[in-house]
Each structure stands twice: as structure tokens, then as C-alpha cells.
Amino acid sequence: MNVLVIGGAGYIGSHVVKELLKQGHSVTVFDNLSSGLRQNLFAKAQFIYGNILIPQDVDAVFAKRFDAFIHLAAFKAAGESMVQPEKYSVNNITGTLNILNAAVLHDCKHMVFSSSAAVFGEPRYLPIDEAHPKNPENYYGYTKLSIEEFMAWYEKLRGLKFAALRYFNAAGYDVEGELFGLEQNPANLLPVVMEVACGMREKLKIFGSDYDTRDGTCIRDYVHVSDLAVAHVRALDYIAKNKKSITLNLGSETGTTVNEIVTAARRITGKQIPAEHVARRAGDPASLVASAKLAYEVLGWKAQYSDVETIVKSTWTAYEKNAVHHT
């Protein structure tokens, strides 16, 4: 297929592009490089610089005609979304509507969207399956849920077929070591841990130490980005073949605490990684663990690289290749 990847120079996007190329698809990356990197681009994929907030840019790229597109161009820092909701409204909601309008106008009606476990909010039960009530606790999660609803309406009214992939905590780096462009201003746990290990930050802040979990810190389901990339390509193949929309949770089905990640990182990097416990963050549920049973049934997908060891090692490899050490 001829596939447009919006946000394809970013952390997850670049891994998806790699997997698409590996499976023989033709790829065009559309990115404004606000958080994506030129070093994440592949020679075999075409690159078009553009912004999802400029309707003319989006229209011009879809006019080139694609069989399908993957949308990975949302802002994703849950904490930031609670203090800068306007930024998330404009980029995630307005930007997505620009994409949907251009896509249907140019008859590109197969879409894969990177949604999030943030649509669920505080779990009523664990593991979280697709039927779990949707009640986002942060504004970022609300924007993702809104986009899922927009896609469902565009399916009814315009024949769009979509895969909404609700990832849990994306982590790790390309297991083959080919991709190692670091995230800009990361807010996720593991990149922050690695920045402390490299001396780029003084210490790690652990938000909350009094959660009802085995060690008082938040439990999350970390899923390797290489696993996520495989799921995107399989989801695309599925909707193209079956002409049917799907909404799936993607996770490792294993919960790991913040302290357990930090302990593993200290062991693997050989660095002290100073950490301090601070107050809880708004919109952070105590525990999030996925049921990925449906993804296995529908796509034959199961996380292969999402053990803590592989996630932490592959991330440290990327930081060692990149970072300036201040040791």
C-alpha cells in the first residue's frame, strides 16, 4: 500500500515507518519537526514538511493520493494538558479535524489512529479491556476520546474505516538499534530516568509514593515501541482487507511500578539515578494494566519485546549512542 504517516519523524512514528518499509509498503512522512527529528527519517520514505494546523498543507499532501494514512501527530503529555488545555485543543482536535476533512475529500478512507489508555481514566477493574467505561482524568485523554468519536461519525457519514489503537505506556527503542533519535523534552518516565542517568538532569521526580500499589508508586503497563509498530501495520492490513473499523487496546498485560523501572534502570545503566518523591500529579490513576486479548484475536498481535529488561536496555542503548555524558 501507499501509506501517509503523519508524525512519522517522531518517536513512535519513526518505528511505525520502519515496520511499514520492512513489510514492503511505500511510505510518505508528513511532519512539522516540532518534536520529530530529521535523524528519524528513512532514505526509502519520502518526506514532506508540513503542519496539520495549516489546512492547505494537509490538503496538498492528501492530494498526492494515498491508500491509507496513520495519524501520530498529537501532543501527548498528560500533565501538561491539565495546565495548557488550549494547546491540546488546537493541535489534537483542530489538527485532527483538518486531517479527517482532507482525507475524505481525497478519498483516503483507511486510517490508523494512535489513541491512548488515557481515555479510560481511573480503572473500575483490571485488566482494562475495550468495554471498560471511558472517563478520562486528564485533558489529553479527553482529546483522544473525542477523536475516536469523530472517527466513528466520519465512518457513518463518509465511509471512513479506522483502527483506534489505545496504547498503554509506550517505551523502549528499536530493538535492532537502527533508530535512536531521542524525544525532545520528554515527560514520560523512562526517558526522564535516562536523562538523569546521563547527567542531563540532576534527579528524577517520582510523583506520589502513597498509592495503593505494592510499593506506593504508580503501576503502568509498558509496551515496547517495536511491538506497537507491528500492531499499526497489522491493523492497517486488517482494515484494508476487511473494510471494517476496529478499536483495540495494546499493552504487555503486565504492570510495573515506577520504583521497579528505576531499580532496573540503575542495574542496567550502572548509574545511581538520584530520585526524590514528590506530590501526586493531577490526573494520574494508581494502576493501569491492559487486556490485549482482543488484539491477539483480531490481529494475532502479542507483545514480544515488552519485558522490563528489553525496554530499559534498548532505551539505554539509544541514550548511550546520543547523549553527552556528564559523569
Side-chain angles (χ1 to χ4, degrees), residues 109-131:
K109 294 186 178 175
H110 294 140
M111 170 183 187
V112 177
F113 173 60
S114 62
S115 191
S116 166
V119 302
F120 297 114
E122 187 67 49
R124 307 261 182 95
Y125 56 84
L126 292 172
I128 297 171
D129 58 17
E130 288 76 5

Side-chain angles (χ1 to χ4, degrees), residues 98-115:
N98 290 340
I99 290 167
L100 288 172
N101 291 340
V104 298
L105 179 69
H106 294 286
D107 204 34
C108 184
K109 294 186 178 175
H110 294 140
M111 170 183 187
V112 177
F113 173 60
S114 62
S115 191

Side-chain angles (χ1 to χ4, degrees), residues 218-275:
C218 282
I219 289 176
R220 292 293 179 265
D221 183 331
Y222 294 93
V223 55
H224 199 288
V225 66
S226 296
D227 286 330
L228 290 176
V230 169
H232 282 74
V233 181
R234 289 198 190 168
L236 195 57
D237 292 341
Y238 177 90
I239 56 174
K241 189 176 150 196
N242 296 285
K243 307 284 184 268
K244 198 170 139 191
S245 295
I246 47 172
T247 298
L248 301 173
N249 291 354
L250 299 177
S252 68
E253 305 191 303
T254 305
T256 307
T257 71
V258 173
N259 279 350
E260 286 163 356
I261 290 281
V262 175
T263 302
R266 285 175 178 146
R267 177 174 51 78
I268 287 163
T269 64
K271 308 288 181 184
Q272 285 184 332
I273 311 180

Side-chain angles (χ1 to χ4, degrees), residues 13-313:
S14 55
H15 287 81
V16 170
V17 169
K18 178 177 173 171
E19 184 63 23
L20 283 164
L21 292 169
K22 191 169 148 187
Q23 300 302 331
H25 296 286
S26 162
V27 182
T28 298
V29 170
F30 179 83
D31 204 300
N32 70 352
L33 301 176
S34 63
S35 57
L37 300 169
R38 286 190 182 275
Q39 81 177 88
N40 283 342
L41 297 170
F42 289 83
K44 287 198 295 185
Q46 196 191 348
F47 173 62
I48 295 172
Y49 179 88
N51 192 326
I52 62 171
L53 298 181
I54 301 171
Q56 297 89 325
D57 282 8
V58 186
D59 188 66
V61 76
F62 274 102
K64 294 179 183 294
R65 298 285 170 182
F66 296 94
D67 301 313
F69 69 100
I70 299 179
H71 173 19
L72 302 120
F75 291 149
K76 63 182 178 65
E80 182 189 52
S81 76
M82 299 295 276
V83 288
Q84 294 189 52
E86 300 82 1
K87 176 180 173 180
Y88 281 69
S89 297
V90 172
N91 185 78
N92 293 10
I93 292 177
T94 308
T96 298
L97 290 173
N98 290 340
I99 290 167
L100 288 172
N101 291 340
V104 298
L105 179 69
H106 294 286
D107 204 34
C108 184
K109 294 186 178 175
H110 294 140
M111 170 183 187
V112 177
F113 173 60
S114 62
S115 191
S116 166
V119 302
F120 297 114
E122 187 67 49
R124 307 261 182 95
Y125 56 84
L126 292 172
I128 297 171
D129 58 17
E130 288 76 5
H132 187 286
K134 272 50 105 193
N135 187 22
E137 294 213 337
N138 52 61
Y139 191 66
Y140 157 72
Y142 169 76
T143 66
K144 292 282 185 166
L145 185 57
S146 300
I147 292 164
E148 288 189 12
E149 290 170 353
F150 294 142
M151 292 189 302
W153 274 106
Y154 274 64
E155 177 177 33
K156 273 184 201 165
L157 305 175
R158 289 289 178 262
L160 176 77
K161 297 298 172 203
F162 66 86
L165 303 180
R166 295 175 179 149
Y167 344 137
F168 280 62
N169 285 53
Y173 270 80
D174 178 19
V175 283
E176 292 167 354
E178 191 182 354
L179 282 165
F180 50 89
L182 300 183
E183 286 190 84
Q184 310 300 293
N185 308 311
N188 294 4
L189 174 66
L190 205 50
V192 174
V193 167
M194 292 303 165
E195 288 190 353
V196 178
C198 290
M200 295 158 72
R201 287 186 197 228
E202 204 181 315
K203 62 183 167 188
L204 170 70
K205 286 180 179 172
I206 296 175
F207 296 100
S209 57
D210 58 350
Y211 284 99
D212 184 16
T213 60
R214 55 185 171 265
D215 62 21
T217 62
C218 282
I219 289 176
R220 292 293 179 265
D221 183 331
Y222 294 93
V223 55
H224 199 288
V225 66
S226 296
D227 286 330
L228 290 176
V230 169
H232 282 74
V233 181
R234 289 198 190 168
L236 195 57
D237 292 341
Y238 177 90
I239 56 174
K241 189 176 150 196
N242 296 285
K243 307 284 184 268
K244 198 170 139 191
S245 295
I246 47 172
T247 298
L248 301 173
N249 291 354
L250 299 177
S252 68
E253 305 191 303
T254 305
T256 307
T257 71
V258 173
N259 279 350
E260 286 163 356
I261 290 281
V262 175
T263 302
R266 285 175 178 146
R267 177 174 51 78
I268 287 163
T269 64
K271 308 288 181 184
Q272 285 184 332
I273 311 180
E276 66 167 336
H277 288 274
V278 296
R280 293 182 181 194
R281 232 174 6 187
D284 262 353
S287 188
L288 289 174
V289 182
S291 164
K293 190 164 163 256
L294 193 60
Y296 181 71
E297 286 169 10
V298 174
L299 304 178
W301 179 87
K302 205 168 175 50
Q304 302 289 311
Y305 305 110
S306 295
D307 56 285
V308 172
E309 191 81 6
T310 305
I311 282 173
V312 175
K313 264 192 180 150

